[in-house]
Amino acid sequence: MGQYIMKIGEELITQDAHTNTSKPNLMESSITQVAVDEHPTTAEAEAEAEEEEKHHRCIGDEIEIPVINHGIPTSVTQSMMQVCQEFFDIPTEENVKQYPDDNLKPVRFGTSRTLSKDTLLEWRDYLRCPCRPLSDFIDLWPAKPSTFREVTMEYSKELAVLAKRLCSAISESLGVESECLHELIGKHQQIIMPTYYPPCPNPELTIGLCAHTDPGGITILLQDEVEGLEVFKKGRWIGVKPLPDVFVVNLADQIQILTNGRYKGAEHRAIVNAERARISIPTFFHPLDDAKIAPIPELLGGQLPMYRDSIFRDYLREFFTNKSTGKGTVDSLKLD
Ligand SMILES: O=C(O)CCC(=O)C(=O)O
Ligand SMILES: [Fe+2]
């Protein structure tokens, strides 16, 4: 009941992404997209929401967007977190054997714990689970833990609905057809990537995940209660505080291109700590591999395109081949 996405100019309730500041961060630019309903999920959320309701909230460039009251039952997010925890509890060697890290395999497990092939060691394990069409992939997903497939299927369906809502809100905030971004990016590829960051005896010597923007369209991220996600904003890294029942949404590179730079991909990274393992579950929404991505003509408003066209498959290849960090790949498409 009452789950919807607000659009620009309407009343917005968002939560500030910062751990370092308690003040809400008002931004000048014109993007807004947040799911709210009249029943905040936690007392904390309610208090913060009331505080922030007074403001016209604009969420803009290079910030990760927390989404509360998204309508996804807590039982679904908790089960997903739990089943991922159980998956990562399986001995790493076993997961490596079951789901080899072979680029040709859609479902694969990557780890820095047993292998030394990476020159730059990112301190994490991950499982890549494509979801669409489900019938193509579900039998390839882990059969252990025994509930993994069922729980992940349920979660993926809920996330697909949320992604559609977010795409509509972003489209409306841009002044284009509400289906626009869903058609371009929201309804095609969906990939869930549960990620595990083990505690690290020397966290200052490593990184969980290097600075990057996500290459796809949007990313919806569920994290456990351990801090580690950071966003680069105004020249510094800012921790994104994990809050119960709150998703973090990243706008990614293809949104930056489609909007001709009006909305920016959020640059982020993950750090690790010596005490506690952390689990984060990003779900990536990508265009079709053979989609041509270029600034949406309606959004040019008489300006020249800032980015040249690219085919998403080629974009991804470039992104992964060059191990591009930060905004490297998207910047490489910039026209002079
Ligand atoms: O650890 C996180 O929360 C971020 C994960 C992430 O950015 C990614 O997998 O692209
Ligand atoms: Fe990311």
Side-chain angles (χ1 to χ4, degrees):
M1 179 179 60
Q3 305 134 17
Y4 50 88
I5 309 287
M6 296 305 221
K7 63 178 190 187
I8 191 160
E10 291 183 353
E11 196 171 274
L12 291 175
I13 304 173
T14 71
Q15 293 183 290
D16 196 62
H18 304 182
T19 44
N20 312 28
T21 70
S22 55
K23 283 262 172 276
N25 185 44
L26 283 182
M27 305 213 36
E28 298 282 278
S29 70
S30 59
I31 169 174
T32 53
Q33 67 268 32
V34 175
V36 295
D37 71 11
E38 55 275 73
H39 302 292
T41 44
T42 65
E44 187 180 21
E46 192 166 16
E48 289 198 25
E50 259 175 40
E51 160 73 10
E52 294 182 8
E53 205 173 5
K54 296 172 200 141
H55 301 278
H56 176 121
R57 301 303 315 276
C58 289
I59 301 177
D61 301 357
E62 300 176 276
I63 185 166
E64 310 208 342
I65 301 160
V67 175
I68 62 170
N69 301 339
H70 35 71
I72 299 181
T74 310
S75 58
V76 171
T77 50
Q78 282 179 347
S79 302
M80 186 64 193
M81 202 40 93
Q82 174 66 28
V83 87
C84 289
Q85 175 71 64
E86 288 168 19
F87 174 80
F88 289 115
D89 284 345
I90 295 170
T92 310
E93 294 71 17
E94 200 179 312
N95 284 334
V96 168
K97 211 181 297 163
Q98 286 290 331
Y99 319 103
D101 189 13
D102 169 348
N103 276 348
L104 297 175
K105 293 192 187 296
V107 175
R108 51 185 187 262
F109 176 75
T111 182
S112 56
R113 285 197 276 180
T114 56
L115 307 172
S116 57
K117 70 172 188 174
D118 279 342
T119 43
L120 178 67
L121 210 59
E122 291 183 320
W123 197 265
R124 63 170 185 153
D125 295 356
Y126 61 88
L127 175 70
R128 181 182 189 275
C129 287
C131 309
R132 286 187 196 159
L134 200 55
S135 53
D136 281 7
F137 297 113
I138 191 162
D139 294 338
L140 304 174
W141 292 355
K144 236 172 106 179
S146 61
T147 54
F148 186 92
R149 291 179 185 170
E150 191 190 322
V151 169
T152 305
M153 178 179 70
E154 184 69 17
Y155 182 78
S156 72
K157 288 181 179 167
E158 294 281 356
L159 270 268
V161 174
L162 179 57
K164 186 169 185 205
R165 290 179 173 153
L166 287 165
C167 284
S168 303
I170 301 168
S171 302
E172 287 175 15
S173 74
L174 287 161
V176 294
E177 280 287 303
S178 69
E179 286 298 297
C180 178
L181 289 178
H182 185 239
E183 290 295 322
L184 290 167
I185 53 172
K187 74 174 198 184
H188 304 291
Q189 304 192 61
Q190 178 181 356
I191 301 148
I192 302 183
M193 206 153 95
T195 303
Y196 176 80
Y197 301 92
C200 174
N202 299 102
E204 64 289 348
L205 298 181
T206 188
I207 185 98
L209 183 55
C210 291
H212 65 286
T213 52
D214 292 339
I218 65 169
T219 305
I220 306 178
L221 202 139
L222 177 69
Q223 39 176 353
D224 69 9
E225 71 284 2
V226 181
E227 293 182 14
L229 177 61
E230 295 186 332
V231 60
F232 192 69
K233 201 163 151 274
K234 292 191 177 156
R236 65 193 182 107
W237 288 102
I238 297 169
V240 179
K241 188 179 182 181
L243 292 168
D245 255 327
V246 173
F247 286 99
V248 174
V249 175
N250 292 338
L251 301 186
D253 291 349
Q254 305 312 308
I255 292 260
Q256 183 164 335
I257 297 167
L258 288 165
T259 65
N260 205 36
R262 193 157 141 193
Y263 295 175
K264 304 279 194 299
E267 191 170 356
H268 56 283
R269 67 180 186 182
I271 57 168
V272 290
N273 71 82
E275 288 83 37
R276 296 186 68 184
R278 170 171 179 264
I279 290 180
S280 176
I281 310 172
T283 300
F284 304 105
F285 292 85
H286 285 187
L288 286 173
D289 281 342
D290 56 9
K292 186 173 93 172
I293 305 290
I296 298 170
E298 284 169 83
L299 292 179
L300 289 176
Q303 290 180 329
L304 291 172
M306 273 172 63
Y307 302 98
R308 65 182 161 79
D309 301 0
S310 67
I311 303 295
F312 184 60
R313 180 187 289 105
D314 300 337
Y315 189 92
L316 273 188
R317 192 180 305 120
E318 170 76 14
F319 183 91
F320 288 113
T321 309
N322 295 335
K323 278 230 162 214
S324 197
T325 55
K327 291 182 169 286
T329 314
V330 77
D331 281 350
S332 73
L333 293 184
K334 262 194 175 151
L335 294 163
D336 294 329

